[in-house]
Amino acid sequence: MINRRDFMSSALAGLAATQVPEVLAAMPVNTVNTFQKAHWLQNGLIDAGGTHEPYIFLVRRGGGSRDIRNYYERQQSEPVISRLKEQGIEVFHTHLYKGFGMEAERAEMEDTKRAAEIAHGHGLRVDTYVQWNSMMYETFFAEEPRAKDWIQRDAAGQPILLIYGYQQSYRYRPCFANQEYLEYLKKVVRYAVVEVKTDFIHFDNFDLNQEPDSCHCHVCVPGFRSYLKAKYSAEKRRERFGFENTDFINPPQWNTQNPPQKLEIIFDPAIQEWIDYRCQLMADALQQVALYAKSLNPEVVIEINPHGITGANRAWASGVDHARILKWTEVFWTEEENPAGYSADGRLVSKIRSFKLARTSRNILLTPFSDNTVAVAESLAFNQTIGYAGEDPIHPALLKYIAFYRANRDLFMATEDVASVAVLRSYPSITYHNMRAQLAAILVEQTLIQTRIPFDLIFDEHLADLSKYKVLILPDSECLSDAQLSLIRRFVDQGGGLVVTGAAGLYDEWHRLRVEPGLSGLVEGQPAGDAYLERVQDRETATAKPTREEHGKGRVIYFATLPFDGAPPEPEPYFEISNKYWKLPKNWEEFAQGVGWAGQDVSPVRVGGPPYLVANVVSQPAKKRILLHLVNYDAKNTKTINSIEVACRLPQGTKAQAVIVYSPDLDAPQSLLSNRGAGEISFTVPQVNVYSIVGVSW
Ligand SMILES: [Zn+2]
């Protein structure tokens, strides 16, 4: 395993000490390195299968139809592959390796090789399923007896299983700290790249189980202790734990009185470090395997399935820190159950957060749509490509969108997100206090989404360069390091707008209460924070008016709270903020106005409309064009949204040439009349059914 501290020091060795912001050294991410992305992916992605299940698994799982063999053979047959090709699919998704062991799966891996040849013969690329995280011990141990030492074991030494209900207890989880397992996985990768000639590897189940189901194996326990020693100097260890010798620290254990799913704020330094160890373990293993695949063929795309931003505490619960792992991928999957739509109780459910995560990390997101055309529109608007179109037979509702995308591909190529607002998703704040920091982030994002204020999601490392933004929002970002606070102050000094909510800045990156609030002098009226609590109490936060302060050229606005509108749902296990919470906060209008004030009203675009109309803005600088994507999330009940007023800022000294609407709901593109002022243009979009794109060129 590459140690982060070593990695960071060598990566930053070339910089003078004063240039190495402490913020980087304190960050839980490899901020510098990644690999060259496959060039062919710049053309977008339309991926569909095929099945990713080998025959052996369909049988072992039980309950299948008696003609399961026919299904398996059909899904990799010439007729299915050529039909997918005719329907506009460009990448064929198929099984390769499920975790039974290469000997047990040999015959089916050879089937994949044949199917890949057929697909390549039809001009399709090939996406092969490789199980990252399953070891079917019944066959695997027969092939490789040493594998008994490669599996994850709980505190009692029992194997840790995948969590698919009662009946998949034959699926052990391998340990990613075990180099021998990683070497085995590389043999599968080698087969995929060299034998199958795959263009794309899908690593499934990229996560870890929730506590108390974490690995206490013979590698992890000593590995955790040496990790602490490598990460911190003796002096730092004394500051962190009160003592120097970490040789006896164990991964956390739990008792029935205090189950981990009830832990609301994580103070314990050893638990915090254990979360970091698990996240880093996954990132390091991925880095190693991904670089190996790239060494065999740099044009092989690396994809994993860690899910996206779901409202769960992903680092704590699943060992997933997206900011670390998505440096080693080009595409990722989310199977989160947040289908695009607008509910009767006023919740706008979407995967926009996951798409924005993908854009920030220069990835493409794959997610199933079934027959939900709003979800396909969401992907085109926020992903700038289709992604995953499903399994043969492709749902007819999707075919129209695939055809539209292929006919208008130049609208989606080489686009850049246009946003002057950044929302910080602070790793320590969310990881150590999901109930507060995740909820605040969700409510802030919800307000920006439903008021159509374009924004980016940013992560800790991005505070080092905020030059793209006019406004930075800190949604209860309670854990900020000294270095991060200086970067934030510098942003305001240079004329930036800062929007702060709740407890932002009250703690440091270890969740230690600051003596002086981190944002003091910038923020007025912030209630004091609590230090160590045996039991977390519900706090009543007054809904005071926001306080506004001008600081030289910069502006700061503080909201003590963004209250959930209505009776808050009962807390969920591990304090997940699921889509029960995904609606506008009570003071959303005041908050949206506050963001406008902080940014001195220089929004790139203003779009009118109801709270279920969503907008995304991208630009194509080379084509001198801005593209405004409009999606009607309530298309099920509201067939048409009429007369949408738009005002759009253009680059200085330019004048709009044309405004054209493109839509799968229109027979042909439509030209709009507009008012062209200096550097700005305004127009009315007559109607949006499900999805329209407005191109403004200059
Ligand atoms: Zn382990």
Side-chain angles (χ1 to χ4, degrees):
M1 181 167 86
I2 295 177
N3 168 269
R4 184 177 91 222
R5 176 56 55 133
D6 290 345
F7 176 87
M8 291 304 304
S9 353
S10 60
L12 296 170
L15 299 174
T18 50
Q19 288 178 295
V20 180
E22 237 183 89
V23 65
L24 281 182
M27 285 276 224
V29 283
N30 289 339
T31 49
V32 185
N33 209 355
T34 186
F35 51 58
Q36 175 66 51
K37 307 214 165 184
H39 292 91
W40 65 269
L41 212 53
Q42 289 169 6
N43 199 36
L45 186 59
I46 314 173
D47 184 304
T51 174
H52 63 235
E53 306 297 20
Y55 179 66
I56 185 173
F57 178 69
L58 295 171
V59 175
R60 179 62 186 86
R61 186 171 61 181
S65 153
R66 284 174 60 154
D67 75 344
I68 202 82
R69 180 80 207 175
N70 289 338
Y71 163 80
Y72 163 78
E73 284 173 7
R74 189 172 62 245
Q75 290 304 89
Q76 54 194 327
S77 67
E78 207 280 336
V80 163
I81 293 170
S82 58
R83 180 162 63 231
L84 289 171
K85 163 86 178 173
E86 280 160 26
Q87 291 175 332
I89 302 306
E90 296 170 357
V91 180
F92 174 63
H93 176 72
T94 191
H95 70 90
L96 178 63
Y97 176 76
K98 191 72 180 179
F100 288 89
M102 287 178 81
E103 284 314 310
E105 293 190 51
R106 178 69 58 195
E108 286 152 70
M109 292 174 81
E110 282 167 11
D111 288 342
T112 304
K113 216 168 131 177
R114 279 191 292 276
E117 266 170 39
I118 300 172
H120 281 144
H122 281 80
L124 290 162
R125 293 188 185 267
V126 172
D127 160 12
T128 41
Y129 177 103
V130 172
Q131 181 54 250
W132 175 260
N133 207 340
S134 272
M135 189 187 279
M136 319 314 201
Y137 74 93
E138 297 152 327
T139 45
F140 206 108
F141 286 3
E143 175 187 330
E144 181 46 88
R146 291 180 308 161
K148 288 190 185 68
D149 295 329
W150 299 355
I151 61 173
Q152 295 184 33
R153 293 187 184 272
D154 67 15
Q158 291 299 304
I160 291 176
L161 314 176
L162 260 80
I163 38 172
Y164 283 109
Y166 299 99
Q167 299 192 52
Q168 292 194 23
S169 65
Y170 51 89
R171 297 180 73 171
Y172 288 176
R173 281 187 183 262
C175 176
F176 300 97
N178 192 304
Q179 189 58 33
E180 287 185 80
Y181 173 69
L182 295 180
E183 294 303 328
Y184 189 94
L185 197 55
K186 285 186 203 166
K187 287 198 282 185
V188 179
V189 166
R190 184 173 187 85
Y191 188 93
V193 179
V194 176
E195 300 293 325
V196 179
K197 301 188 174 51
T198 192
D199 302 287
F200 187 114
I201 299 179
H202 163 87
F203 287 118
D204 203 18
N205 291 89
F206 195 91
D207 58 9
L208 298 172
N209 282 359
Q210 293 162 336
E211 296 289 341
D213 235 6
S214 68
C215 191
H216 294 236
C217 80
H218 66 287
V219 182
C220 281
V221 173
F224 178 43
R225 294 165 182 168
S226 14
Y227 184 68
L228 296 172
K229 271 188 273 186
K231 183 172 172 186
Y232 296 117
S233 66
E235 193 191 337
K236 256 316 198 204
R237 291 201 294 276
R238 277 197 303 277
E239 190 185 343
R240 189 74 169 118
F241 300 106
F243 53 86
E244 239 175 70
N245 182 357
T246 56
D247 286 347
F248 297 89
I249 293 187
N250 278 322
Q253 294 185 47
W254 307 92
N255 53 40
T256 46
Q257 289 80 7
N258 302 287
Q261 62 268 28
K262 298 259 189 195
L263 177 55
E264 185 168 344
I265 305 178
I266 300 174
F267 300 110
D268 180 337
I271 300 181
Q272 292 180 351
E273 293 296 340
W274 176 245
I275 299 170
D276 185 60
Y277 169 84
R278 296 215 308 161
C279 291
Q280 194 59 41
L281 189 65
M282 293 296 272
D284 287 342
L286 174 64
Q287 175 181 351
Q288 188 184 145
V289 176
L291 288 177
Y292 177 70
K294 289 282 184 183
S295 75
L296 299 171
N297 178 2
E299 285 295 299
V300 167
V301 169
I302 303 296
E303 184 245 294
I304 59 174
N305 181 5
H307 308 305
I309 295 177
T310 60
N313 187 340
R314 303 305 314 289
W316 160 230
S318 309
V320 166
D321 175 14
H322 292 107
R324 283 182 236 197
I325 57 178
L326 298 182
K327 292 189 166 55
W328 306 107
T329 61
E330 291 139 296
V331 183
F332 71 98
W333 249 92
T334 187
E335 291 180 90
E336 65 190 90
E337 285 170 12
N338 295 313
Y342 191 68
S343 67
D345 60 350
R347 288 173 304 123
L348 188 140
V349 175
S350 77
K351 293 177 188 163
I352 293 172
R353 293 171 182 84
S354 298
F355 283 114
K356 286 189 180 284
L357 165 66
R359 290 292 278 184
T360 301
S361 51
R362 306 267 166 211
N363 272 242
I364 292 173
L365 183 69
L366 301 187
T367 188
F369 306 129
S370 70
D371 61 344
N372 182 352
T373 51
V374 178
V376 195
E378 176 180 271
S379 184
L380 287 175
F382 290 95
N383 211 19
Q384 298 291 300
T385 190
I386 294 271
Y388 182 67
E391 223 180 80
D392 180 79
I394 305 293
H395 201 284
L398 301 195
L399 294 176
K400 183 169 91 167
Y401 279 80
I402 294 172
F404 171 77
Y405 170 69
R406 282 165 59 91
N408 294 281
R409 202 159 202 152
D410 68 306
L411 299 174
F412 301 90
M413 299 285 292
T415 58
E416 292 170 11
D417 289 355
V418 174
S420 55
V421 175
V423 176
L424 176 67
R425 278 191 154 264
S426 147
Y427 166 89
S429 308
I430 288 174
T431 304
Y432 305 148
H433 197 177
N434 199 65
M435 186 63 229
R436 181 150 73 184
Q438 178 82 255
L439 177 60
I442 294 269
L443 294 175
V444 161
E445 291 153 0
Q446 201 69 20
T447 304
L448 301 176
I449 290 168
Q450 294 194 249
T451 56
R452 295 168 293 277
I453 298 173
F455 69 101
D456 287 349
L457 290 183
I458 62 165
F459 301 88
D460 297 80
E461 65 196 89
H462 302 118
L463 288 176
D465 179 10
L466 294 168
S467 54
K468 179 182 172 187
Y469 305 107
K470 301 274 185 238
V471 178
L472 170 66
I473 305 182
L474 305 175
D476 274 89
S477 311
E478 52 188 52
C479 300
L480 296 169
S481 69
D482 293 352
Q484 290 181 317
L485 289 166
S486 343
L487 292 167
I488 292 164
R489 284 176 192 277
R490 190 178 70 185
F491 175 70
V492 176
D493 287 346
Q494 291 173 346
L498 184 65
V499 179
V500 180
T501 83
L506 293 183
Y507 303 85
D508 72 2
E509 67 276 26
W510 290 344
H511 210 288
R512 295 182 300 187
L513 183 64
R514 290 182 173 280
V515 178
E516 181 78 5
L519 296 166
S520 75
L522 286 179
V523 164
E524 296 306 321
Q526 192 176 23
D530 295 310
Y532 176 81
L533 294 168
E534 196 72 42
R535 295 249 166 261
V536 181
Q537 307 291 333
D538 282 343
R539 298 192 73 175
E540 278 298 315
T541 316
T543 44
K545 284 276 153 205
T547 57
R548 298 175 184 218
E549 299 275 330
E550 301 208 14
H551 291 268
K553 288 182 288 172
R555 291 178 173 186
V556 182
I557 183 164
Y558 175 69
F559 290 81
T561 179
L562 262 68
F564 183 79
D565 192 5
E570 276 293 300
E572 297 186 30
Y574 302 92
F575 298 94
E576 179 172 351
I577 307 298
S578 71
N579 70 34
K580 287 183 207 163
Y581 292 86
W582 296 14
K583 61 191 241 185
L584 288 167
K586 235 181 245 168
N587 54 351
W588 65 271
E589 280 172 294
E590 201 172 37
F591 186 79
Q593 283 160 9
V595 173
W597 175 82
Q600 313 194 25
D601 299 308
V602 272
S603 184
V605 61
R606 294 192 307 279
V607 184
Y612 44 82
L613 176 70
V614 169
N616 193 40
V617 193
V618 298
S619 71
Q620 289 173 318
K623 292 195 169 122
K624 298 189 174 173
R625 180 159 73 174
I626 281 180
L627 296 148
L628 169 66
H629 294 251
L630 297 167
V631 183
N632 173 9
Y633 275 67
D634 195 37
K636 225 185 216 172
N637 307 302
T638 307
K639 298 292 171 209
T640 301
I641 302 172
N642 293 313
S643 306
I644 300 160
E645 305 285 339
V646 178
C648 190
R649 228 169 252 274
L650 298 175
Q652 270 197 335
T654 64
K655 210 166 167 179
Q657 299 298 320
V659 181
I660 299 171
V661 184
Y662 308 83
S663 169
D665 306 320
L666 291 173
D667 296 329
Q670 215 174 53
S671 198
L672 294 188
L673 292 172
S674 58
N675 290 317
R676 300 165 201 192
E680 189 169 294
I681 179 172
S682 58
F683 51 87
T684 304
V685 182
Q687 71 172 69
V688 171
N689 296 343
V690 176
Y691 175 46
S692 292
I693 305 167
V694 187
V696 179
S697 51
W698 63 84

